[in-house]
Amino acid sequence: MTQDSISPKKPLNVQWQGLIGIGVGILVLVIILGLLRWRRDGLPVDPAELEMSASTPCMVQAISAATVGGKPITYSQLDKLKAQCGQ
């Protein structure tokens, strides 16, 4: 092979490299935050936070109905109850 037959690769534009890096960073951040949200939704709510959430009669009734049988409320259930009661 001669020097003329080998064509060097043109490097990727610096702006494109920066945009790709930003895109990958945002994707990683979204994945991490999504995993944290998914983990949070399965955790039981603290009793103190349940007391703070029971600020309206609708929430008091919804929380007492959801805790019948001693089963703890998870954060995802609390979010649904808040949406039902308009909070």
Side-chain angles (χ1 to χ4, degrees), residues 66-72:
T67 56
V68 171
K71 186 177 174 187

Side-chain angles (χ1 to χ4, degrees), residues 5-72:
S5 66
I6 300 174
S7 61
K9 284 187 173 181
K10 186 176 179 182
L12 193 59
N13 194 348
V14 174
Q15 286 89 6
W16 283 110
Q17 287 178 344
L19 285 174
I20 290 171
I22 289 171
V24 168
I26 290 172
L27 180 66
V28 167
L29 186 64
V30 166
I31 290 172
I32 289 172
L33 291 176
L35 288 172
L36 286 172
R37 172 71 186 227
W38 179 63
R39 181 179 176 269
R40 173 199 164 266
D41 283 346
L43 294 174
V45 179
D46 296 329
E49 189 162 348
L50 274 178
E51 286 180 32
M52 288 190 300
S53 297
S55 58
T56 63
C58 175
M59 282 299 292
V60 171
Q61 289 176 349
I63 289 172
S64 63
T67 56
V68 171
K71 186 177 174 187

